[in-house]
Amino acid sequence: MSKVNSKKTNTKKRKNLTKKTRFEVFKRDSFTCQYCGNAAPNVVLEVDHIKAVANGGDNGLINLITSCFSCNRGKGARKLDDNTVVEKQRQQLEELNERRIQLEMIMDWRRDVEDIDKITVDMICEAISTKSQLSPNDSGKRDIRKWLKRYSFDEILDAIDSSFSQYLDWDNDEEATSESWNKAFDYVPRISSVKRRTKEKPYLRELYYIRGILRNRVYVNESYIMDLLEDAVSYDADLEGVKYLAKTCNNWTQFKEKVEDYICVMKERSEQ
């Protein structure tokens, strides 16, 4: 066995950079040479070591910088004396740290929002339970979350009060029937929508009342009735007269033709 110690060298072997690492460096530096400012595709870019591998530099991102072919090949294994490069690395670290802090803030905010959403859903469920002695299941809670994307908390509470007061029926054991409870629950977003529209257009309440009269007496063209009534309002129709017509007409066609005749006459007058 040889008793001679083997001679060790201090030469550090360069490890090839992966394609992913090169891309991360280029992306961080906006595909721009950090020495001369030329950018791809006007120049061929390479990844340069700020502290050369020959002098102990590693492949960590903080030691890597984007360089064009000319700047990189001209630098060789010399240590950089350009303080702007070091300053740029410091600024990049500060920016990355600030991004991390802001991302953490966003995540905290999202958790707070999720907590608020859960509390809001629970409060709506409690309001429904108070009105009906029954509370929505998981599927119902998912529906409530959808409502909250369209309507305010107050709008939903107001609609719950109206819907459960109007549609809820009770059995002999003084429990809400399943059918009436489901109907009252399903009507909450519809009532929210109607209340919002009537707030924007106060006369809509009268039009809905007229439509209700017609529905109870004759067939109604649902896709046309509200447009017809709104056109009549736009020409200053006497809504009391329209109500009377809805109560006395023989059929939908008679009602429709009389209202259309009124609109036609008023339109001709306005054009004269």
Side-chain angles (χ1 to χ4, degrees):
M1 178 184 290
S2 173
K3 297 182 180 181
V4 179
N5 291 327
S6 60
K7 186 177 181 180
K8 296 182 179 180
T9 63
N10 293 323
T11 304
K12 188 173 182 178
K13 185 177 180 181
R14 176 189 291 266
K15 294 183 180 180
N16 292 330
L17 297 175
T18 64
K19 183 177 180 181
K20 179 180 179 181
T21 299
R22 292 175 64 248
F23 177 69
E24 289 299 322
V25 175
F26 290 158
K27 184 170 62 172
R28 182 197 66 193
D29 294 337
S30 302
F31 292 86
T32 301
C33 175
Q34 300 302 293
Y35 300 109
C36 68
N38 287 320
N42 297 328
V43 292
V44 176
L45 298 177
E46 297 181 341
V47 174
D48 185 22
H49 290 78
I50 296 174
K51 183 176 181 180
V53 174
N55 295 331
D58 59 22
N59 287 344
L61 288 178
I62 192 65
N63 190 47
L64 302 176
I65 195 168
T66 301
S67 172
C68 67
F69 178 87
S70 299
C71 290
N72 190 29
R73 299 311 166 94
K75 184 174 77 68
R78 291 181 292 106
K79 183 177 180 180
L80 290 176
D81 293 324
D82 188 354
N83 288 332
T84 60
V85 175
V86 178
E87 177 65 17
K88 182 174 182 63
Q89 292 294 328
R90 184 188 66 79
Q91 291 176 356
Q92 288 173 340
L93 281 175
E94 289 179 354
E95 290 176 3
L96 288 172
N97 187 54
E98 179 61 24
R99 289 181 184 178
R100 179 185 63 79
I101 292 173
Q102 292 185 15
L103 284 172
E104 290 176 352
M105 292 171 65
I106 291 172
M107 292 303 296
D108 289 340
W109 173 76
R110 287 183 63 88
R111 282 191 289 269
D112 289 342
V113 169
E114 289 173 357
D115 289 341
I116 292 173
D117 287 346
K118 183 179 183 304
I119 292 171
T120 305
V121 170
D122 288 344
M123 292 178 68
I124 291 174
C125 289
E126 183 178 351
I128 292 174
S129 178
T130 300
K131 296 288 292 185
S132 66
Q133 300 178 8
L134 295 172
S135 186
N137 57 19
D138 290 341
S139 176
K141 290 179 179 179
R142 286 194 292 271
D143 287 339
I144 292 172
R145 292 188 185 95
K146 293 178 183 178
W147 300 349
L148 286 167
K149 292 179 180 179
R150 298 178 57 190
Y151 307 107
S152 70
F153 178 72
D154 289 339
E155 286 177 321
I156 292 172
L157 287 184
D158 189 28
I160 287 171
D161 186 58
S162 298
S163 187
F164 279 81
S165 297
Q166 180 176 354
Y167 296 111
L168 203 62
D169 292 328
W170 304 85
D171 59 21
N172 294 331
D173 296 326
E174 296 186 353
E175 293 183 356
T177 65
S178 176
E179 182 179 356
S180 69
W181 190 95
N182 287 327
K183 181 177 181 180
F185 183 85
D186 290 340
Y187 266 77
V188 169
R190 304 185 195 183
I191 293 174
S192 297
S193 177
V194 169
K195 284 180 177 289
R196 177 180 290 182
R197 291 200 301 270
T198 53
K199 185 176 293 185
E200 296 169 352
K201 300 178 179 179
Y203 60 81
L204 280 179
R205 187 179 300 276
E206 294 291 309
L207 302 192
Y208 288 132
Y209 178 68
I210 293 170
R211 184 181 66 179
I213 294 173
L214 287 169
R215 282 176 171 175
N216 290 330
R217 297 189 63 251
V218 298
Y219 159 81
V220 175
N221 185 332
E222 296 290 348
S223 63
Y224 182 49
I225 177 64
M226 293 306 295
D227 288 338
L228 177 66
L229 292 175
E230 287 211 54
D231 280 346
V233 169
S234 69
Y235 287 104
D236 299 322
D238 176 13
L239 292 184
E240 290 301 319
V242 178
K243 286 180 191 176
Y244 179 78
L245 176 61
K247 294 176 181 179
T248 58
C249 66
N250 296 322
N251 50 53
W252 161 252
T253 300
Q254 184 183 34
F255 177 86
K256 177 179 73 73
E257 289 179 349
K258 285 186 176 294
V259 175
E260 286 177 340
D261 288 344
Y262 169 82
I263 293 172
C264 184
V265 170
M266 297 303 294
K267 185 175 181 181
E268 290 177 355
R269 290 180 182 177
S270 66
E271 293 175 350
Q272 290 178 355

